[in-house]
């Protein structure tokens, strides 16, 4: 149930604006006592009945009964009727006030919401500025990241080459030492003169005599000189080429699997993918 408060406010305003008229009271506002109405009524009733200006019949009786009923209801039950009607008016006013309070509360909440959203435009502008600044930083980082990744990839390849060279060098040294040991051992096992020279050198060292040339050391030195001369004279670089090809294949495999920016051709020269 909804009501409008404007009518009540207009009534209150008109009631306040109305100027009270001072009443003298008494009979018809003349200031005379109401009891003067009794003789006046009797005096007026005599000629009315005498000259048949007013005929007393059943209608008069019904009127008298109706007036008696109205007077009785007014005097005996008027206050109760007034209170019942007044209570209904109070209830209507209460419902009206509650409805108005709910409307006012809803309007106040809406006002608070609108005030809270006053800075929404500024908030979105700040968000857009942060987004633009973030994109700029990401673009700057994106321009540097490939260079950093390329440097890391080159460093990875250099470390791989160094490890492979160190491993190959160790293998070659081990193989040469094994071959040199086998060759020198065979020489001293088959040549009695070398065997005697090695024995004499050992006895001289034990006795603390003058140290001469160590025949075993000289045999090892001579083996490495002969080996170097043989490799130089042969000019066979097939082993070196095979080693390079294997190294290139391994580096290309790593570059492909890890998504490097470059690969190596058959000559070992890098090229961007």
């Amino acid at each position: 149930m909804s009501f409008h408060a404007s009518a009540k406010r207009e009534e209150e305003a008109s009631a306040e604006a109305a100027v009270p008229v001072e009443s003298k009271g008494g009979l018809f506002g003349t200031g005379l006592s109401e009891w003067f109405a009794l003789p006046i009524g009797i005096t007026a009733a005599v000629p009315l009945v005498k000259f048949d200006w007013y005929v007393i019949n059943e209608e008069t009786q019904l009127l008298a009964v109706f007036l008696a009923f109205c007077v009785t209801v007014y005097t005996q039950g008027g206050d109760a009727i007034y209170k019942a009607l007044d209570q209904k008016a109070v209830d209507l006013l209460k419902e009206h006030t509650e409805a108005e309070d709910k409307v006012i509360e809803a309007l106040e909440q809406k006002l608070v919401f609108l005030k809270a959203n006053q800075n929404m435009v500024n908030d979105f502008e700040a968000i857009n500025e942060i987004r633009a600044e973030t994109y700029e930083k990401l673009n700057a980082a994106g321009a540097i990241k490939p260079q950093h990744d390329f440097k890391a990839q080159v460093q990875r390849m250099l470390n791989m080459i160094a490890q492979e060279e160190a491993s190959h060098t160790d293998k070659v040294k081990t193989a040469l030492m094994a071959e040199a040991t086998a060759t020198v051992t065979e020489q001293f096992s088959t040549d009695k003169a070398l065997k005697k020279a090695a024995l004499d050198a050992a006895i001289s060292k034990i006795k603390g005599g003058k140290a001469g040339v160590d025949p075993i050391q000289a045999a090892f030195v001579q083996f490495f000189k002969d080996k170097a001369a043989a490799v130089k004279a042969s000019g066979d670089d097939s082993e070196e080429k095979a080693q390079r090809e294997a190294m290139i294949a391994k580096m290309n495999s790593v570059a492909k699997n890890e998504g490097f920016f470059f690969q190596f051709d058959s000559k070992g020269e890098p090229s961007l993918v």
Side-chain angles (χ1 to χ4, degrees):
M1 181 181 294
S2 60
F3 298 93
H4 200 278
S6 59
K8 183 175 182 299
R9 293 172 183 170
E10 290 177 358
E11 292 175 0
E12 292 176 354
S14 61
E16 292 176 358
V19 178
V21 178
E22 185 178 358
S23 176
K24 295 180 180 179
L27 182 63
F28 300 117
T30 60
L32 298 175
S33 175
E34 288 85 353
W35 289 102
F36 284 100
L38 183 58
I40 294 173
I42 295 174
T43 304
V46 171
L48 290 175
V49 174
K50 177 65 177 177
F51 295 104
D52 293 331
W53 291 345
Y54 182 77
V55 179
I56 299 175
N57 53 13
E58 64 277 4
E59 294 179 355
T60 304
Q61 295 176 359
L62 290 175
L63 177 62
V65 171
F66 178 74
L67 291 175
F69 172 76
C70 291
V71 171
T72 302
V73 170
Y74 177 76
T75 56
Q76 301 299 323
D79 188 58
I81 296 173
Y82 168 75
K83 290 182 179 180
L85 295 176
D86 185 66
Q87 184 62 36
K88 186 175 181 181
V90 170
D91 294 339
L92 291 175
L93 180 61
K94 182 179 179 182
E95 292 179 0
H96 191 181
T97 303
E98 291 177 354
E100 282 188 340
D101 291 340
K102 291 181 180 179
V103 172
I104 293 172
E105 183 179 359
L107 292 175
E108 289 178 350
Q109 292 179 355
K110 186 175 181 180
L111 178 61
V112 172
F113 176 76
L114 293 175
K115 288 182 178 180
N117 292 333
Q118 285 180 349
N119 295 327
M120 185 178 294
V121 176
N122 296 331
D123 295 338
F124 279 109
E125 289 179 353
I127 292 172
N128 290 330
E129 291 179 358
I130 295 174
R131 184 185 294 110
E133 184 178 355
T134 303
Y135 285 156
E136 291 178 358
K137 292 181 179 179
L138 289 175
N139 291 331
I144 298 174
K145 189 176 185 302
Q147 300 177 4
H148 178 75
D149 294 342
F150 182 77
K151 180 181 178 182
Q153 293 170 6
V154 172
Q155 187 66 34
R156 171 77 184 279
M157 285 299 174
L158 293 176
N159 293 335
M160 184 185 299
I161 293 171
Q163 291 177 0
E164 289 294 330
E165 288 181 349
S167 176
H168 179 70
T169 301
D170 292 338
K171 291 179 180 179
V172 171
K173 286 181 179 180
T174 302
L176 284 176
M177 285 301 299
E179 184 180 358
T181 302
T183 302
V184 172
T185 301
E186 184 180 0
Q187 288 178 359
F188 277 84
S189 298
T190 57
D191 193 342
K192 293 182 179 180
L194 290 175
K195 187 182 297 186
K196 184 178 182 304
L199 182 59
D200 293 340
I203 293 172
S204 177
K205 284 183 179 180
I206 293 172
K207 291 181 178 181
K210 184 179 180 181
V213 178
D214 188 354
I216 298 176
Q217 182 179 359
F220 274 101
V221 172
Q222 187 61 39
F223 170 82
F224 286 118
K225 287 182 179 180
D226 295 340
K227 190 69 175 178
V231 171
K232 186 177 180 180
S234 64
D236 185 11
D237 57 350
S238 58
E239 184 178 357
E240 183 178 354
K241 289 181 179 180
Q243 180 186 0
R244 183 186 297 111
E245 291 176 357
M247 185 64 190
I248 292 173
K250 185 175 181 179
M251 290 191 297
N252 284 333
S253 177
V254 172
K256 183 178 180 180
N257 292 333
E258 298 186 9
F260 283 8
F261 299 146
F262 56 87
Q263 287 188 351
F264 297 92
D265 57 12
S266 59
K267 296 181 180 180
E269 295 180 358
S271 59
L272 296 176
V273 179

